[in-house]
């Protein structure tokens, strides 16, 4: 069994050449300051009464500080109530994961509130797997630094790199003035967290012996030990050996960088859930309003289309009944045809443009344009003008035919142009004087 004792007071790379090469320092933590928490006692003197009062409060002490501008802070905390377990869910939504985990621990909340910190370590399809950390709320009263990102890690968590020669199995242990906090690992996965009060130098040996018996009784791989003694004060200088150790641990277990057992993380999660909830409600209302508006517009469109079809059908029926009872099929422009028929009957507008003159004009147009390949299927004459229906091989020919009529009439218009396979372009030409 391997035991690795690491005393922070003796290992500062800036003062010793026994550390690892500085070029291996992780870029992820080059702007990170690592701190630990400890109880600071202040004595307040009451001069009037001649008494003294001791006040103990939690304070932070630097373990290793970055060289440049400090942007990130990580506080290592030995938590008494910390426990963990694995989870697997068929969904990946963080809010749903948190709610499902809270339901699982609800029977145990009778003894007190529990804060839940899930960390996803793997994904499979739509489902996820990971670790959940349970902590009592009163242990989250940890001073937060001003500015920069802020995380709280369990004290013995980021030292798994020191157990790699044992396959990632064993115990990482944190010792300071009052605490012994440890995590049992199996194949680079934490399986148990444990805390004991530090009383004397034998506390460490007793804790190691306890793990020996526990692993033997539960048929677990005992592996090795890494023990970090964090008690005492340190210089506010970069400890590259310490940073390299944590960097290697994060490379082995990338999910460590997502652990944050801070009250700020809970508040951020709650704010996010509240914002998502409000946005979801707003989106549902907008969806409902949009659906109603779309439905009303669709009904209006159907009604308008029905009215248009009714007007068109009545116009066609009126024309057929009054002007062309033998006509079969649809009529594209019954109003214009009816007006032309009325003009023919009344003779209005027919003076000066007899049918013979129209035929003569049409003959001149074809005679003066040899390349005008136009086939006229129908020619309708009225007092107002001429309506022709025909076909042409392309649109250019149709446009040339329309321009040729400009010298003989005041208004020439092409309507209802459409392509017909095997024929070319069908068109209607309206000539008005």
């Amino acid at each position: 069994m391997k035991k690795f004792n690491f005393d922070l007071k003796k290992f500062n790379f800036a003062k010793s050449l026994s550390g690892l090469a500085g070029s291996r320092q992780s870029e992820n933590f080059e702007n990170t300051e690592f701190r630990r928490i400890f109880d600071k006692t202040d004595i307040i003197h009451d001069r009037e009464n001649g008494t003294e009062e001791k006040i103990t409060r939690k304070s932070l002490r630097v373990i290793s500080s970055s060289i440049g501008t400090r942007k990130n802070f990580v506080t290592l905390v030995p938590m008494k109530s910390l426990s963990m377990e694995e989870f697997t869910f068929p969904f990946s939504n963080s809010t749903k994961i948190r709610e499902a985990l809270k339901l699982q621990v609800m029977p145990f909340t009778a003894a007190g509130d529990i804060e839940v910190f899930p960390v996803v370590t793997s994904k499979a399809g739509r489902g996820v797997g990971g670790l959940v950390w349970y902590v009592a709320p009163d242990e989250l009263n940890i001073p937060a630094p001003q500015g920069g990102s802020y995380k709280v890690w369990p004290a013995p968590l980021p030292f798994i790199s020191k157990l790699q020669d044992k396959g990632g199995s064993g115990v990482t242990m944190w010792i300071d003035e009052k605490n012994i906090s440890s995590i049992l690992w199996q194949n680079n996965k934490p399986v148990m967290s444990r805390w004991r009060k530090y009383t004397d130098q034998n506390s460490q040996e007793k804790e190691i012996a306890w793990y020996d018996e526990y692993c033997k009784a539960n048929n677990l791989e005992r592996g090795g030990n890494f023990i970090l003694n964090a008690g005492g004060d340190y210089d506010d200088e970069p400890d590259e050996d310490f940073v390299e150790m944590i960097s290697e641990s994060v490379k082995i277990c990338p999910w460590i960088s997502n652990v944050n057992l801070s009250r700020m993380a809970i508040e951020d999660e709650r704010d996010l859930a509240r914002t998502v909830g409000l946005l979801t409600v707003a989106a549902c209302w907008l969806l409902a309003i949009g659906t109603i508006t779309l439905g009303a517009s669709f009904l209006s469109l159907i009604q308008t289309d029905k009215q248009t079809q009714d007007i068109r059908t009545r116009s066609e029926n009126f024309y057929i009944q009054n002007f062309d009872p033998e006509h079969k099929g649809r009529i594209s422009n019954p109003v214009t045809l009816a007006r032309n028929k009325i003009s023919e009957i009344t003779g209005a507008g027919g003076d000066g443009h007899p049918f013979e003159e129209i035929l003569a004009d049409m003959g001149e147009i074809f005679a003066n344009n040899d390349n005008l390949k136009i086939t006229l299927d129908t020619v309708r004459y009225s007092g107002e003008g001429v309506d022709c229906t025909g076909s042409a091989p392309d649109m250019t020919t149709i446009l040339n035919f329309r321009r040729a009529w400009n010298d003989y009439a005041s208004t020439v218009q092409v309507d209802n142009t459409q392509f017909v396979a095997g024929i070319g372009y069908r068109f209607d030409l309206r000539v008005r004087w």
Side-chain angles (χ1 to χ4, degrees):
M1 183 189 310
K2 180 180 179 181
K3 185 186 297 183
F4 195 146
N5 288 277
F6 190 91
D7 193 334
L8 287 178
K9 292 183 290 185
K10 299 177 181 178
F11 284 81
N12 189 311
F13 186 79
K15 299 178 180 180
S16 173
L17 297 178
S18 61
L20 299 176
S23 60
R24 295 179 57 194
Q25 181 175 341
S26 172
E27 295 181 359
N28 295 332
F29 298 104
E30 62 182 4
N31 291 326
T32 301
E33 181 174 280
F34 292 93
R35 299 180 174 187
R36 73 180 184 94
I37 194 168
F38 72 102
D39 293 333
K40 183 178 181 180
T41 302
D42 295 327
I43 300 176
I44 299 178
H45 300 274
D46 190 341
R47 296 181 179 179
E48 295 181 358
N49 300 325
T51 60
E52 294 181 348
E53 182 180 359
K54 294 182 179 181
I55 297 179
T56 302
R57 58 185 176 85
K58 293 185 181 298
S59 184
L60 297 176
R61 182 169 291 167
V62 176
I63 297 176
S64 177
S65 178
S66 58
I67 299 175
T69 303
R70 298 173 183 174
K71 299 180 180 179
N72 307 312
F73 300 90
V74 176
T75 302
L76 303 178
V77 182
M79 296 181 174
K80 300 178 182 180
S81 63
L82 181 66
S83 62
M84 72 188 77
E85 65 177 350
E86 292 186 289
F87 68 82
T88 303
F89 292 119
F91 46 81
S92 59
N93 182 274
S94 59
T95 302
K96 292 183 178 180
I97 292 174
R98 184 180 293 273
E99 294 301 323
L101 292 170
K102 286 183 178 180
L103 290 176
Q104 290 182 1
V105 298
M106 187 174 293
F108 306 101
T109 56
D113 293 334
I114 299 175
E115 294 294 353
V116 178
F117 297 91
V119 178
V120 174
T121 60
S122 62
K123 294 183 178 181
R126 296 184 178 181
V128 296
L131 290 168
V132 56
W133 307 81
Y134 300 109
V135 183
D138 57 357
E139 290 207 67
L140 302 180
N141 299 322
I142 301 170
Q146 299 295 326
S149 65
Y150 169 57
K151 292 182 180 181
V152 173
W153 287 353
L157 178 67
F159 310 128
I160 182 60
S161 59
K162 293 300 181 180
L163 299 179
Q164 292 313 293
D165 58 343
K166 296 294 183 179
S169 298
V171 176
T172 54
M173 184 177 297
W174 168 283
I175 298 176
D176 58 26
E177 295 85 354
K178 294 183 178 181
N179 306 279
I180 296 181
S181 179
S182 55
I183 293 179
L184 176 63
W185 299 78
Q186 295 289 293
N187 299 320
N188 294 323
K189 291 184 179 180
V191 296
M192 186 181 66
S193 176
R194 179 175 164 88
W195 178 91
R196 286 293 178 271
K197 183 178 180 180
Y198 182 79
T199 56
D200 52 39
Q201 296 181 353
N202 294 326
S203 298
Q204 171 183 320
E205 299 298 333
K206 292 178 182 179
E207 197 69 5
I208 293 298
W210 185 92
Y211 275 109
D212 293 340
E213 295 297 327
Y214 179 83
C215 292
K216 182 179 180 181
N218 291 274
N219 197 26
L220 297 175
E221 181 68 30
R222 181 59 184 87
N225 299 316
F226 174 75
I227 302 172
L228 186 141
N229 186 354
D233 298 327
Y234 312 100
D235 297 330
D236 189 8
E237 295 182 10
D239 187 343
E240 298 187 18
D241 194 40
F242 180 77
V243 173
E244 177 66 22
M245 177 171 53
I246 295 180
S247 174
E248 290 297 326
S249 296
V250 173
K251 290 179 182 178
I252 295 166
C253 300
W255 53 266
I256 292 178
S257 61
N258 296 326
V259 175
N260 189 5
L261 312 187
S262 67
R263 193 174 298 279
M264 183 183 299
I266 297 177
E267 294 174 354
D268 290 345
E269 184 72 22
R270 290 173 179 171
D271 291 343
L272 178 61
R274 189 181 302 110
T275 302
V276 171
L278 293 175
L279 292 177
T280 301
V281 172
C284 290
W285 276 107
L286 291 175
L287 180 61
I289 294 172
T291 301
I292 294 173
T293 304
L294 179 61
S297 300
F298 182 71
L299 292 176
S300 177
L301 176 62
I302 293 177
Q303 184 178 8
T304 302
D305 184 67
K306 186 177 182 300
Q307 292 175 351
T308 302
Q309 292 296 334
D310 291 343
I311 294 172
R312 184 175 298 170
T313 301
R314 289 198 301 269
S315 300
E316 292 179 2
N317 293 335
F318 180 83
Y319 175 80
I320 293 174
Q321 291 174 2
N322 292 275
F323 298 105
D324 194 1
E326 297 180 357
H327 182 85
K328 304 295 182 181
R330 303 297 302 272
I331 299 176
S332 62
N333 199 341
V335 176
T336 301
L337 293 178
R339 185 169 61 246
N340 294 340
K341 287 289 185 180
I342 293 173
S343 298
E344 291 178 6
I345 295 172
T346 60
D351 297 339
H353 293 89
F355 185 67
E356 294 79 3
E357 183 176 340
I358 299 297
L359 292 178
D361 293 340
M362 190 178 297
E364 288 183 7
I365 290 174
F366 280 97
N368 294 332
N369 297 272
D370 296 335
N371 297 326
L372 199 61
K373 297 180 180 180
I374 295 289
T375 300
L376 297 179
D377 300 325
T378 304
V379 177
R380 292 181 295 273
Y381 169 74
S382 67
E384 293 183 353
V386 178
D387 293 324
C388 302
T389 300
S391 61
D394 51 50
M395 283 296 300
T396 302
T397 302
I398 297 174
L399 295 177
N400 291 335
F401 186 52
R402 187 197 68 181
R403 282 193 290 267
W405 274 101
N406 288 334
D407 296 334
Y408 301 92
S410 60
T411 303
V412 183
Q413 208 170 13
V414 175
D415 296 324
N416 301 328
T417 303
Q418 58 180 343
F419 178 77
V420 179
I423 297 176
Y425 286 88
R426 296 278 299 175
F427 66 94
D428 292 334
L429 181 72
R430 300 177 64 234
V431 180
R432 296 294 180 263
W433 317 122

